[in-house]
Amino acid sequence: TKGSYDYDLIVIGGGSAGLACAKEAVLNGARVACLDFVKPTPTLGTKWGVGGTCVNVGCIPKKLMHQASLLGEAVHEAAAYGWNVDEKIKPDWHKLVQSVQNHIKSVNWVTRVDLRDKKVEYINGLGSFVDSHTLLAKLKSGERTITAQTFVIAVGGRPRYPDIPGAVEYGITSDDLFSLDREPGKTLVVGAGYIGLECAGFLKGLGYEPTVMVRSIVLRGFDQQMAELVAASMEERGIPFLRKTVPLSVEKQDDGKLLVKYKNVETGEEAEDVYDTVLWAIGRKGLVDDLNLPNAGVTVQKDKIPVDSQEATNVANIYAVGDIIYGKPELTPVAVLAGRLLARRLYGGSTQRMDYKDVATTVFTPLEYACVGLSEEDAVKQFGADEIEVFHGYYKPTEFFIPQKSVRYCYLKAVAERHGDQRVYGLHYIGPVAGEVIQGFAAALKSGLTINTLINTVGIHPTTAEEFTRLAITKRSGLDPTPAS
Ligand code: FAD
Ligand code: NA7
């Protein structure tokens, strides 16, 4: 019976999804424990406190380093606006890491206080199933067996390492980068997903020399026209892209530098270069292994857990949310909302389900890219090229004029229904503060935005977001989408 378990709910994983779910469950009257445990990285042994990926080794430190890099750029631009700045200004990596880590520590602290205030029992232990109602928590010293009526698995993922000689010994991942105790220097970033591009972007802005190694395409899953513009804007800033290339091995030279051998996957041609740092950004692996899921009978698919539209696994009392679920966007706000809604359905009598469609996102490259809804290729695939109208244009941000920054890649487009109401299926924007620009449009798109509404919305002048209200040229027309002067 319900009363015979230690808890109503045990949440495994104290990251974005787990914390949101645990806190909401308590608010709705459940007795809840939340486990969180971080295994150190293989070589540097980096570890961190409660809060999960986003706070410790994800969104937050990434955005802080991106901001540091943008500020460096802004200081140089300031001279053009008449500020007397020392042209030789230079960042201090150690100070930056310290500031970032101090912020993270303060968030860890606030998180623990919040859990205590909200009466969530926090257990710093690694959970593994004994059976579908029993969990073994391995603590720093000793272990504890606990039982619950219901489980929510919210264990997230960790970066992958490639299976090549030297990868683990000499390479690092985003789990190490934000606390690295030495300057990254000349860095090979392997992987062209958003994490690889973002890291390469801020490293360049901070004065280091990143190179991006791309196995196939850039930003798989994103609109490919936009993805190529993002890559081109990075190349313009002096970040080389090694295309169609995979690493073969990493060796440490006598001088401490890393010799990387690699090959072109099309020509088979091999080459090598020497780096100070090799950063693997080749995707993330769901943390299913430690959970002992066979003991509970939970099905796994490619390191992830498949769930239905209620986030239920194949086992009646076990649910999963966040990055660990199969086939859904791996983003913090998705994890948070899905976790909260699940708790409300479990304990608050709610029936509201998570809507994973039309989730807006931003790639925080030096010139940012944000989007919501369908990519052009997905819209074409779904509705056919004849049924899609793409409105597009290049634009010139006012703030770029005086410092004479390149406007070559400032571009945006709306992917819409061709006939009828011209409903907007997707919005894509490359330029400054992309996330801030797209967030509000995401609400509009979810409310059924049409091209007619968009172009009859009065813009805010002078902004870059107003460019969406000025979209007038369709790709089909063949007209030049670059603005006159
Ligand atoms: P996590 O936050 O990973 O939390 C899971 C927790 O469970 C971890 O603390 C883990 O150690 C713990 N755990 C694992 N196994 C066990 C176990 N057996 N027992 C106990 N505890 C366990 N998203 C955005 O929305 N915007 C961004 O800008 C963004 N940038 C990112 C940048 C980087 C470099 C990375 C790596 C990710 C970024 N993300 C971003 C993604 C975002 O961080 C994740 O989507 C989000 O953290 C997922 O939350 P989660 O709760 O599912 O998992
Ligand atoms: P992604 O988006 O999965 O991207 C991984 C990148 O690494 C991608 O460009 C891959 O190329 C490349 N890759 C994958 N394996 C290899 C190997 N073995 N060698 C070289 N290159 C490789 O991962 P991120 O780390 O950017 O993001 C993690 C997740 O967070 C992601 O799933 C998002 O949804 C959220 P490919 O395109 O496969 O050829």
Side-chain angles (χ1 to χ4, degrees), residues 63 331-334 337 357-364 368-373 427-429 432-447 449 464-465 468:
K63 184 83 187 282
L331 294 167
T332 274
V334 171
L337 186 56
K357 230 176 111 243
D358 296 333
V359 172
T361 188
T362 298
V363 180
F364 293 95
E368 299 170 2
Y369 165 42
C371 59
V372 58
L427 294 169
H428 301 265
Y429 165 100
V433 291
E436 315 299 341
V437 168
I438 285 291
Q439 182 68 88
F441 286 113
L445 190 137
K446 251 185 135 46
S447 311
L449 180 68
T464 53
F468 273 116

Side-chain angles (χ1 to χ4, degrees), residues 7 19 44 71 96 136 139 155 171 205 209 243 271 303-304 306 309 337 389 451 453 462 468 475 478:
Y7 300 96
L19 292 174
L44 296 185
L71 284 172
L96 171 60
L136 182 70
L139 311 174
V155 293
E209 295 165 73
R243 299 273 184 164
D303 305 321
K304 297 281 177 105
S309 63
L337 186 56
E389 198 78 273
I451 290 293
T453 306
F468 273 116
K475 275 196 176 175

Side-chain angles (χ1 to χ4, degrees), residues 14-27:
S16 311
L19 292 174
C21 183
K23 288 190 263 183
E24 190 70 20
V26 171
L27 274 183

Side-chain angles (χ1 to χ4, degrees), residues 224-235:
Q224 282 299 300
Q225 182 197 7
M226 304 307 279
E228 279 305 328
L229 289 171
V230 169
S233 78
M234 292 176 70
E235 285 178 303

